[in-house]
Amino acid sequence: MEDTLRQFVTEAERIVGFTGAGISTECGIPDFRSPGGIWSKYKPIDFQTFLASPEMRREGLFRYLKIKEHVGEVQPGRGHLALAELARNGRLTHIVTQNIDGLHQASGVSEEQIIELHGNGTYAKCLDCGARHELDWVASELDRNPGAPACMKCSGIVKTATISFGQAMPEAEMIRAEAATLQCDLFMVIGSSLVVQPAAGFPVIAKQNGARLVIINREPTPIDRLADLVIHRDIGDVLEMFLT
Ligand code: NAD
Ligand code: ZN
């Protein structure tokens, strides 16, 4: 299987890496499925509930900061570093990620090559004017005031720069992701259960457009049968062959 993966990568000219929570578990960030997970203790709040009141916004931000505190400082893992290596040698054109942890940027891949479908959780943003706010500021506002923090520039609603359940997908990123998917000749799914839509549609589009499809994930996914190669093993163990 590893030989086939190496051959596919060698033969490809335009690779897209499509990553999910599984690429970051070895960095200490639990995916949604891990038993007794932090995600069930501090369950994320959906978008409508977040908007409903300052109390819910406060609670949503508080839960997010709790998860972040629980996870602590994180560094890119072998999967991130392997993709960064493939980007450096020009084979990998884009990484389309469902992750919000910023670890692809931390591995040295340029911002133009990273497409974040679910936003970025390493900072917050004003929903009204788009101004960026740091999480340390959000934490200190929560400490100092009883309600939810308001944007310093326009008094708008401040939320982590993530896309919550119930929130519209980011338009520009969806367009970029589709273009990258249609241009690639190898589409590699890495650590996604492929159950969250519309993200899970991209590998199907790639395959229908003639690209080879590889899925690396510990568990089976609903589209394994479409793939040219499926590897049900640990991501870091598999991808470290691309580390120099
Ligand atoms: P998911 O939790 O649904 O699926 C992750 C998959 O990765 C699982 O099928 C699991 O078996 C597999 N996996 C975990 N560790 C692995 C390893 N070391 N080797 C091989 N396979 C491994 O995640 P998803 O498909 O990304 O969807 C969940 C949503 O949750 C996403 O939208 C994402 O934004 C969000 N999320 C993000 C993070 C993060 O940013 N790191 C973490 C948790 C959840
Ligand atoms: Zn604002």
Side-chain angles (χ1 to χ4, degrees), residues 61 120-126 130-135 137-138 158-162:
L61 292 167
N120 189 306
T122 63
Y123 56 93
K125 238 163 109 171
C126 171
R132 174 177 168 139
H133 299 283
E134 300 311 320
L135 293 180
W137 174 81
V138 172
V158 173
K159 181 181 175 293
T160 53
T162 53

Side-chain angles (χ1 to χ4, degrees), residues 176-205:
R176 285 176 67 211
E178 183 164 352
T181 301
L182 289 173
Q183 283 166 8
C184 77
D185 54 6
L186 176 60
F187 192 95
M188 295 204 290
V189 175
I190 301 161
S192 173
S193 58
L194 294 178
V195 293
V196 182
Q197 288 294 353
F202 288 106
V204 180
I205 295 172

Side-chain angles (χ1 to χ4, degrees), residues 18-27 29-34 39 44 64 78 80 97-103 117-119 121 162-163 165 189-196 199 216-221 231-238:
F18 181 90
T19 63
I23 196 171
S24 298
T25 53
E26 78 170 23
C27 314
I29 307 174
D31 63 19
F32 271 140
R33 280 135 204 281
S34 50
W39 298 102
Y64 186 81
R78 288 171 295 169
H80 300 99
T97 188
Q98 301 176 83
N99 294 343
I100 56 167
D101 53 31
L103 286 177
L117 295 179
H118 295 165
T162 53
I163 305 295
F165 282 107
V189 175
I190 301 161
S192 173
S193 58
L194 294 178
V195 293
V196 182
I216 307 170
N217 202 59
R218 226 156 27 201
E219 298 174 308
T221 79
I231 305 181
H232 289 157
R233 284 189 50 208
D234 179 77
I235 290 160
D237 289 353
V238 173

Side-chain angles (χ1 to χ4, degrees), residues 2-23:
E2 270 76 1
D3 286 349
T4 311
L5 178 61
R6 195 185 287 279
Q7 182 204 335
F8 282 4
V9 166
T10 308
E11 288 172 1
E13 282 173 10
R14 301 181 64 86
I15 304 173
V16 165
F18 181 90
T19 63
I23 196 171

